[in-house]
Amino acid sequence: MEYRAVIGLEVHVQLNTNTKIFCGCSTIFGAEPNSQTCPVCLGMPGALPVLNRKVVEYAIKAGLATNCQIAPRSIFARKNYFYPDLPKGYQISQYELPICSAGHLDIQVEGTAKRIGITRIHMEEDAGKLVHADVPGVGDDSCVDLNRACTPLLEIVSEPDLRSADEAVAYLKKLHQIVVYLGISDGNMEEGSFRCDANVSVMKVGADKFGTRTETKNVNSFKFVKQAIEYEIERQIEVIEDGGKIVQETRLFDPNTGVTRSMRGKEEAHDYRYFPDPDLVPLVISNDWVEDVRLGLPELPEAKRLRYMDELGLPAYDAEVLTASRELADYFEACLEFHSQPKPVANWVMGEVTRALNEESRSITDTPVTPQLLAELLQLIDKGTISGKIAKTVFDEMWRTGKPPAQVVEEKGLVQVSDTGEIERIIDEVLAREAGQVAEYRSGKDKLFGFFVGQVMRASKGKANPAVVNELLLKKLQG
Ligand code: ADP
Ligand code: MG
Ligand code: ZN
């Protein structure tokens, strides 16, 4: 029997506003516990929430970038549950009337495009954090840190349109790329700024109804999402094949074992008793505001990718790689301001620059070779001052020292030799030394040509102009 998986993702994105969603406390990560709190985020009775306008702006940005409709009127709701990190006894979220709905993202999996529906995007506050620690003078204890309480989140809920772990990862990567491009989140998955709940069910091929889903909570890397979904699909198929039934439940993924296990079943599921928060008036968003935000949107990765292909004439692969992150694209475009040929610039950015960055696990924002210096290097190649091969040596030295290419070339004596007299002299030497090979070449072994080029280049320590070498060598060998 063949099965088909059905997947829908709920993604939580932590927004990078300076202050929290309903009070003026700072959101900076890693401060002394409870140092960034006030009566509102401590949940004191009678303290009143005041909505952060920036959070709304960011939500509108996310909605526009994912083709959503922006609700002219939306409502904050209380989601009631008890937990020690939630002093109010409820989380302020949105329920029936979220700020964004009915959007979509187009993903590419193995060369085919697919549209994934986005059901809704809503704003909510995060909870605090329980810290289980050895407290001096107390011993093992659990403490509450409310610095994170009330920090702004977006929850982005997809339609159950995904059909494999690979599609889910492609969707998630695309969404991640968009929120980082928009500048509304740092997207740091290790710190939990971008995390995902994976809803998974399976059904027999041809069935007319989806199967029962499980929800695996808080998976925080692309790799784990893939593992968790694949594990869950296999597990569910096995249960059904063994004559069992899938129960709707919440599960947890263990990255150490690659396995999901049950956390709570439907019976223990919370009844959140949502209701509109009487402390917050309905949120009204004017059309003008939405249009203002739309005008301020940066160029998004999809548009950038197409522009790189259409206007810059880059191959699809290059366009994809260069737009993967906004920083890389910015670097590439900054290089183009100093050197107007896109393809060689693309080659260098995707080649040497990326290699050097990876070797040192550095980010493009912290490269010692600035766009201007890289462009100067390419100009030296264009002018024939150095060969493409020598340029790589020069680049390594620039990377190490931060020196401009002209200075490196000068100091290391790397100027390309194009002087025909000088090159001729080297060729004569090589041909005299390799008389046997010359005879073979002349008796028809054409393939040896490359060997001679190599010998001449080596004798010149890589500095001979390859075009000149080829031309003169051919003349000499034929003559
Ligand atoms: P809940 O609050 O119960 O998690 P939500 O509406 O927030 O409900 O999210 C439900 C998620 O589950 C959505 O992403 C949706 O696409 C997905 N989903 C719904 N039905 C199925 C199903 N049968 N199989 C897989 N995913 C599903
Ligand atoms: Mg859910
Ligand atoms: Zn506060």
Side-chain angles (χ1 to χ4, degrees):
M1 197 38 103
E2 275 226 71
Y3 289 85
R4 166 132 304 168
V6 173
I7 302 154
L9 299 181
E10 295 162 74
V11 176
H12 283 94
V13 181
Q14 188 178 319
L15 300 178
N16 60 4
T17 52
N18 294 328
T19 56
K20 297 183 178 181
I21 180 170
F22 297 121
C23 64
C25 293
S26 166
T27 52
I28 287 178
F29 187 79
E32 176 86 356
N34 298 305
S35 63
Q36 296 173 167
T37 54
C38 73
V40 173
C41 53
L42 289 173
M44 297 291 174
L48 290 174
V50 177
L51 179 59
N52 181 343
R53 187 181 169 89
K54 203 82 191 168
V55 172
V56 181
E57 186 190 315
Y58 283 10
I60 298 172
K61 280 189 176 176
L64 292 176
T66 53
N67 311 290
C68 284
Q69 274 152 33
I70 311 299
R73 184 172 174 279
S74 68
I75 301 285
F76 284 98
R78 289 187 181 177
K79 179 179 181 179
N80 299 282
Y81 66 93
F82 171 80
Y83 203 73
D85 66 8
L86 189 75
K88 291 199 297 291
Y90 59 85
Q91 176 193 23
I92 306 179
S93 181
Q94 294 192 297
Y95 189 56
E96 273 162 334
L97 285 175
I99 182 165
C100 312
S101 59
H104 64 258
L105 274 188
D106 293 332
I107 59 166
Q108 296 266 343
V109 176
E110 281 164 16
T112 36
K114 182 166 177 184
R115 178 157 292 186
I116 307 303
I118 290 179
T119 318
R120 53 188 275 145
I121 302 179
H122 67 250
M123 300 172 278
E124 62 185 26
E125 58 178 347
D126 207 344
K129 208 166 64 182
L130 279 189
V131 187
H132 307 286
D134 185 3
V135 181
V138 179
D140 273 348
D141 210 343
S142 293
C143 309
V144 187
D145 177 5
L146 292 174
N147 282 348
R148 197 180 66 185
C150 217
T151 52
L153 301 176
L154 292 184
E155 180 173 334
I156 304 173
V157 182
S158 87
E159 289 288 306
D161 288 344
L162 301 155
R163 292 291 174 272
S164 69
D166 286 336
E167 286 187 12
V169 170
Y171 165 82
L172 211 55
K173 283 191 171 161
K174 184 124 203 198
L175 198 57
H176 182 264
Q177 193 188 36
I178 287 175
V179 298
V180 175
Y181 257 78
L182 289 172
I184 64 176
S185 171
D186 64 21
N188 187 327
M189 296 179 84
E190 281 119 71
E191 284 174 13
S193 300
F194 189 93
R195 52 195 197 258
C196 148
D197 302 341
N199 295 271
V200 178
S201 66
V202 297
M203 61 184 192
K204 288 185 177 149
V205 168
D208 55 4
K209 224 171 112 238
F210 289 166
T212 304
R213 73 181 152 113
T214 63
E215 178 177 356
T216 301
K217 281 278 183 201
N218 280 332
V219 197
N220 70 344
S221 85
F222 297 126
K223 188 175 130 208
F224 295 160
V225 167
K226 185 169 156 75
Q227 283 179 1
I229 292 174
E230 277 171 354
Y231 176 83
E232 197 49 24
I233 292 171
E234 232 170 85
R235 185 190 69 83
Q236 292 187 12
I237 293 175
E238 233 164 76
V239 169
I240 295 170
E241 287 286 279
D242 287 350
K245 270 201 155 60
I246 300 301
V247 286
Q248 190 173 344
E249 62 182 356
T250 303
R251 300 179 70 87
L252 273 185
F253 175 71
D254 181 350
N256 295 318
T257 56
V259 159
T260 68
R261 58 192 161 73
S262 182
M263 185 167 99
R264 58 169 183 259
K266 202 177 181 180
E267 307 76 50
E268 306 139 79
H270 303 293
D271 174 2
Y272 294 115
R273 293 159 51 246
Y274 281 97
F275 66 89
D277 191 318
D279 289 341
L280 288 155
V281 294
L283 170 63
V284 173
I285 297 171
S286 71
N287 205 36
D288 284 355
W289 190 9
V290 175
E291 288 316 307
D292 270 0
V293 174
R294 195 193 301 277
L295 283 177
L297 287 180
E299 183 181 36
L300 291 169
E302 186 69 15
K304 216 183 247 307
R305 198 172 61 82
L306 295 175
R307 180 169 63 84
Y308 282 12
M309 290 162 66
D310 294 347
E311 283 177 26
L312 304 181
L314 291 179
Y317 175 80
D318 298 29
E320 177 87 34
V321 172
L322 292 170
T323 55
S325 83
R326 187 172 167 180
E327 285 86 5
L328 190 66
D330 284 349
Y331 180 88
F332 169 69
E333 290 182 32
C335 292
L336 287 187
E337 294 190 10
F338 300 101
H339 187 90
S340 57
Q341 288 161 278
K343 185 56 184 161
V345 174
N347 288 345
W348 274 82
V349 174
M350 297 191 305
E352 296 308 295
V353 176
T354 303
R355 175 191 57 77
L357 288 173
N358 288 345
E359 272 172 18
E360 295 176 13
S361 306
R362 276 164 96 144
S363 109
I364 186 77
T365 48
D366 153 51
T367 155
V369 177
T370 63
Q372 183 167 358
L373 291 179
L374 185 67
E376 285 175 13
L377 179 64
L378 299 193
Q379 267 133 27
L380 291 182
I381 304 174
D382 283 358
K383 280 194 291 185
T385 313
I386 52 173
S387 66
K389 189 146 180 256
I390 290 286
K392 295 191 177 173
T393 311
V394 177
F395 177 85
D396 286 341
E397 187 67 9
M398 291 164 69
W399 190 272
R400 237 174 28 79
T401 61
K403 287 180 185 166
Q407 188 184 341
V408 174
V409 169
E410 165 93 41
E411 285 176 3
K412 302 240 152 193
L414 294 171
V415 175
Q416 174 165 268
V417 179
S418 300
D419 169 23
T420 49
E422 168 80 12
I423 293 177
E424 229 169 312
R425 192 185 56 73
I426 299 174
I427 290 177
D428 288 343
E429 251 175 51
V430 168
L431 297 190
R433 190 177 70 212
E434 308 289 351
Q437 310 269 28
V438 173
E440 278 188 50
Y441 177 87
R442 288 189 173 139
S443 65
K445 216 170 160 197
D446 287 356
K447 274 199 229 142
L448 279 172
F449 190 72
F451 163 78
F452 294 118
V453 174
Q455 292 297 313
V456 174
M457 291 306 292
R458 181 176 309 170
S460 78
K461 300 200 177 67
K463 290 191 287 186
N465 181 330
V468 179
V469 171
N470 272 288
E471 193 193 314
L472 290 179
L473 196 54
L474 197 61
K475 226 185 272 173
K476 293 241 168 204
L477 281 167
Q478 282 167 348

